[in-house]
Amino acid sequence: MPDQAPTTAHRNQRRTLIGVVTRDQMNKTRRVDVERLVKHPRYGKFVKKRTVCYVHDEKNETHVGDTVEIMETRPMSKQKCWRLVRVVTKAPAKVQVAEPPAV
């Protein structure tokens, strides 16, 4: 039976990551940075590494600073092969400071 299509349970087990939205200027696309700690091979110190993922956000619901969960999917464009699963935490809203009137 190796020529059968994969079952939906096996197909839905795709890689998921949690990262922070760093750019939201494109329509339906977000840039998400996923950070990880890697042990240096010689010195043993843990170093931060990051992976940049372009994510499909159908409703444009995320903004810069949001923590999101993303899932790997088929390629949608040259760079975009992840999709938004959910927003874990929203970023605090930016406070706009009113400028003093010009004299």
Side-chain angles (χ1 to χ4, degrees), residues 42-100:
R42 171 176 277 175
Y43 302 112
K45 180 178 179 178
F46 284 94
V47 182
K48 280 187 186 179
K49 297 272 187 173
R50 70 177 178 157
T51 302
V52 176
C53 303
Y54 287 88
V55 178
H56 182 69
D57 182 8
E58 184 65 34
K59 300 175 187 172
N60 288 328
E61 60 185 322
T62 58
H63 299 289
V64 175
D66 292 350
T67 303
V68 294
E69 182 179 2
I70 59 176
M71 179 183 284
E72 196 171 25
T73 185
R74 63 176 177 80
M76 296 182 186
S77 66
K78 181 181 177 181
Q79 295 179 320
K80 191 164 51 166
C81 59
W82 295 85
R83 66 182 167 90
L84 180 70
V85 175
R86 67 185 175 102
V87 179
V88 178
T89 56
K90 295 290 272 184
K94 292 183 180 178
V95 178
Q96 295 182 356
V97 179
E99 294 181 20

